[in-house]
Amino acid sequence: MTPLSLRLFILPCLLLASPARAEWRVPDCTALVRWAEQVNQHAGLTLRLGGRGIGEQVLPGLMRAPVTTETFGKPVEDWTEAEAQEAGRIIGRCSMQPEGRSQRNLLGQAGQIAQQTQWLLTQRGRSRRALTQALAELEAQPFAPQIMPFLAALPAAGNPAGYRMAMATLRGMPPALIRPARAAVGSVPFLLPPDIDSLLRPAVEAQLASRRVALRQSLIDALAELPGRPDGLVQLDRGPPPALRDALDEAGRAALAEATAARRLAILVEIEKTLEERIAAAPADADGFLWLAALSDDSAYAALPEVRRAALDATIAARAAPLAPVAAEAALAEIAALPRDMNRLPRALHLMQEVTAGLERHGGAELARRFAAESRQAVTALADAALPAFVAFLESRPADETTLRNLGRPPRFLRDLVEALPEAGGRYQAVIAARQQTIANELAAAAAAEHARQEAARAARAAEVAAEAAREAGPLIGRRYRALDGTLELEFLDATRVLATHAGRDLTVAGSYEEIAGNRVIITLPEQNFVVTRAGKRLDGGRLVLERMATP
């Protein structure tokens, strides 16, 4: 028998076999009544089956009490489904016997408890069998690292949180494992605590133990797939997922740590070899010099230990030193050849700064000093030559708030110019400030003119309103007003009487009115009264506004 087939044989035995226990016995009716008298005296065991969508089920406290073991010969956790079914039958028979008739209600409760227990034990039996099959199928599948966190989470799947956690471990699992894994998770909620502790945990631990060697090897094999680059070191430092690392035993973690250290050394050797090859292949021109000068900023260079970087520095210096004069001369020639255009300033600044930094590292102090002075002079000349075009560009921008905001955020090249060449940069800042001031002045003048126009319009309107008010002043006698919506007309007959015509009802009623302070008028009609204010040709009552009608 092969080791695998042996394990597949042992697993069902672990889950289904039970050690020798006492025999279940049929109690007499008197003993059943004594047993039933404790029906409400013990706390039940709640099985939280939320993960299965069933809610909570309770194994009744009476069934878990010592009196059940004393009455039936063994604890309910050891009952078979058939024994639970038989318990219900004998309780029913007892309730019909002389000893039980007087306790029929009590025995009825006990019968319901037995029926509930039978259902739970039936589900438990099905779950044990399904779990046995599912674990056997998982055991027969080729090893996959994702099985380890699943097995570790499985014993806790009897509560909703543990159920969700176990289901979450299925993500990324090979398809062949998902069906039996789901079946295993779905079986756990109906297991009783003794099932978890004495059956499921040993079976799971046996599978974990048999897989730890394969897990250790898979994690070690994955190290060899890491690229021999800085990102390989990043992945190496990140390590395997914690759930997989935690599934290893102490020996496995030690072996993984040793393999990780060896792979780190191998990656560093690969990085150093690659850098040496790139240094040797660098072209013998200005571009090659600049690449060599910038190598110390490369992530591959930074990944090396300090002692290896020191050795590389000597190689870089020996390769770069002869190229320094070539790079300086080529940079000055390129700057001099650039068009006198502000759009070329970023390139000139970058070239000046890049070559200066490279010469300070590998060109010698004198060459670096001379290039710095000459390149500063050349870039300053380029900046000054491009300044008139920059001024014209600023003048072409519209004098509005958008331009003013943009001028407050100068382009990157200007910030670099000010930092590298303060005098040349200052001249650009000055023309920007001048343009900002001009635009601000124009906007202020325009705002002042608009304010003056609005004030004049308000004054004219006020004068017009005052003139209209003067024209409309005087008694209301003889005047007629109509609502803007046409629903009401008022005709003032004399100093106190008014006629009101409601258009919708085709009805005219008589009312009274009284003028009071503030140009207000109180109008009283048979079914309503309201106050309006005289405002020129209108009587303004808020929602009701009436306008004077021409006299016929």
Side-chain angles (χ1 to χ4, degrees):
M1 181 176 291
T2 65
L4 175 59
S5 61
L6 179 61
R7 288 198 300 271
L8 294 179
F9 172 77
I10 292 175
L11 180 60
C13 297
L14 282 174
L15 285 172
L16 297 180
S18 299
R21 298 182 186 274
E23 291 292 328
W24 193 84
R25 65 170 175 263
V26 177
D28 59 30
C29 191
T30 302
L32 278 176
V33 171
R34 286 198 305 269
W35 169 73
E37 288 174 348
Q38 297 190 26
V39 67
N40 295 316
Q41 298 180 16
H42 305 280
L45 172 66
T46 299
L47 302 179
R48 294 178 175 83
L49 308 175
R52 290 282 305 271
I54 302 174
E56 294 184 348
Q57 295 291 328
V58 178
L59 180 62
L62 175 61
M63 304 304 294
R64 304 179 63 235
V67 69
T68 295
T69 303
E70 297 167 2
T71 303
F72 293 93
K74 62 180 178 179
V76 72
E77 290 88 349
D78 295 342
W79 286 19
T80 65
E81 301 164 36
E83 290 166 347
Q85 187 174 12
E86 178 63 17
R89 285 196 292 265
I90 63 174
I91 292 171
R93 290 197 297 269
C94 177
S95 65
M96 305 299 294
Q97 297 175 12
E99 299 93 325
R101 287 195 189 99
S102 61
Q103 299 295 333
R104 184 170 295 176
N105 289 338
L106 189 66
L107 289 170
Q109 294 182 53
Q112 292 177 356
I113 286 175
Q115 187 176 16
Q116 182 180 357
T117 302
Q118 176 191 343
W119 184 85
L120 285 174
L121 292 181
T122 299
Q123 299 303 318
R124 174 202 188 192
R126 292 173 181 172
S127 294
R128 286 163 62 101
R129 291 188 291 273
L131 182 64
T132 301
Q133 179 64 28
L135 288 178
E137 291 181 22
L138 290 173
E139 181 78 5
Q141 292 293 328
F143 173 74
Q146 295 87 343
I147 194 65
M148 304 299 282
F150 167 77
L151 290 171
L154 188 58
N159 61 75
Y163 185 94
R164 290 191 296 270
M165 183 176 296
M167 292 299 291
T169 64
L170 301 185
R171 289 193 291 267
M173 187 177 286
L177 296 177
I178 290 179
R179 189 194 61 77
R182 285 183 180 275
V185 175
S187 302
V188 175
F190 280 107
L191 299 182
L192 300 179
D195 301 328
I196 302 292
D197 295 334
S198 63
L199 301 178
L200 178 57
R201 290 189 191 280
V204 165
E205 185 53 42
Q207 289 212 24
L208 286 172
S210 69
R211 286 174 163 87
R212 284 193 178 104
V213 173
L215 173 63
R216 177 180 66 187
Q217 192 58 48
S218 71
L219 295 179
I220 291 175
D221 291 344
L223 299 178
E225 300 176 5
L226 297 178
R229 302 187 304 267
D231 57 318
L233 291 177
V234 172
Q235 297 176 54
L236 192 69
D237 291 335
R238 187 181 302 128
L244 296 183
R245 187 170 55 246
D246 294 344
L248 293 171
D249 55 17
E250 185 175 350
R253 287 191 288 271
L256 180 62
E258 181 180 351
T260 299
R263 183 55 184 153
R264 182 183 306 279
L265 180 60
I267 291 177
L268 290 173
V269 169
E270 291 183 55
I271 291 174
E272 184 175 4
K273 180 181 177 182
T274 300
L275 287 174
E276 289 173 344
E277 292 173 350
R278 291 168 64 191
I279 292 169
D285 55 18
D287 290 338
F289 173 81
L290 293 177
W291 181 85
L292 290 167
L295 191 57
S296 58
D297 299 325
D298 191 284
S299 60
Y301 175 91
L304 294 175
E306 185 176 353
V307 63
R308 298 311 308 155
R309 290 201 301 269
L312 274 182
D313 286 342
T315 304
I316 293 171
R319 186 83 173 84
L323 304 178
V326 176
E329 182 178 352
L332 291 173
E334 183 177 346
I335 293 172
L338 289 174
R340 309 290 93 175
D341 186 335
M342 65 178 182
N343 293 323
R344 301 298 182 177
L345 273 175
R347 172 58 183 169
L349 286 167
H350 174 74
L351 199 56
M352 179 186 76
Q353 294 168 334
E354 185 180 28
V355 175
T356 298
L359 293 176
E360 288 173 349
R361 290 176 179 174
H362 303 298
E366 177 58 27
L367 180 58
R369 183 196 61 76
R370 188 168 68 251
F371 175 80
E374 293 178 5
S375 62
R376 287 170 63 87
Q377 182 179 359
V379 176
T380 298
L382 174 58
D384 289 343
L387 185 56
F390 184 67
V391 173
F393 170 76
L394 295 182
E395 294 292 339
S396 69
R397 299 296 90 194
D400 56 20
E401 292 289 348
T402 300
T403 300
L404 198 59
R405 284 195 301 271
N406 290 338
L407 289 176
R409 299 189 294 267
R412 174 63 182 272
F413 88 86
L414 185 54
R415 297 196 296 271
D416 293 342
L417 180 63
V418 171
E419 182 179 347
L421 302 170
E423 292 184 4
R427 291 189 280 275
Y428 276 75
Q429 287 179 317
V431 299
I432 289 177
R435 181 58 178 155
Q436 284 177 307
Q437 188 60 54
T438 299
I439 294 176
N441 292 342
E442 292 181 14
L443 291 176
E450 176 62 17
H451 179 72
R453 186 192 66 76
Q454 292 177 0
E455 287 297 317
R458 280 193 288 269
R461 177 59 182 159
E464 181 182 342
V465 170
E468 183 180 87
R471 290 192 301 271
E472 294 293 320
L476 293 172
I477 300 171
R479 298 186 182 187
R480 298 175 64 195
Y481 292 83
R482 176 182 292 162
L484 296 181
D485 60 5
T487 57
L488 179 66
E489 290 185 9
L490 297 178
E491 180 180 357
F492 296 89
L493 301 177
D494 52 30
T496 60
R497 294 183 302 160
V498 63
L499 295 179
T501 300
H502 296 274
R505 292 186 289 176
D506 194 21
L507 176 67
T508 299
V509 297
S512 62
Y513 76 96
E514 178 184 1
E515 293 194 67
I516 59 177
N519 292 327
R520 290 185 294 172
V521 182
I522 300 175
I523 298 175
T524 304
L525 302 176
E527 296 181 0
Q528 65 181 138
N529 62 78
F530 51 91
V531 178
V532 295
T533 301
R534 296 182 66 173
K537 292 184 177 182
R538 292 186 174 186
L539 299 179
D540 190 347
R543 288 184 297 176
L544 175 63
V545 179
L546 303 101
E547 190 167 56
R548 185 176 178 182
M549 301 168 59
T551 303

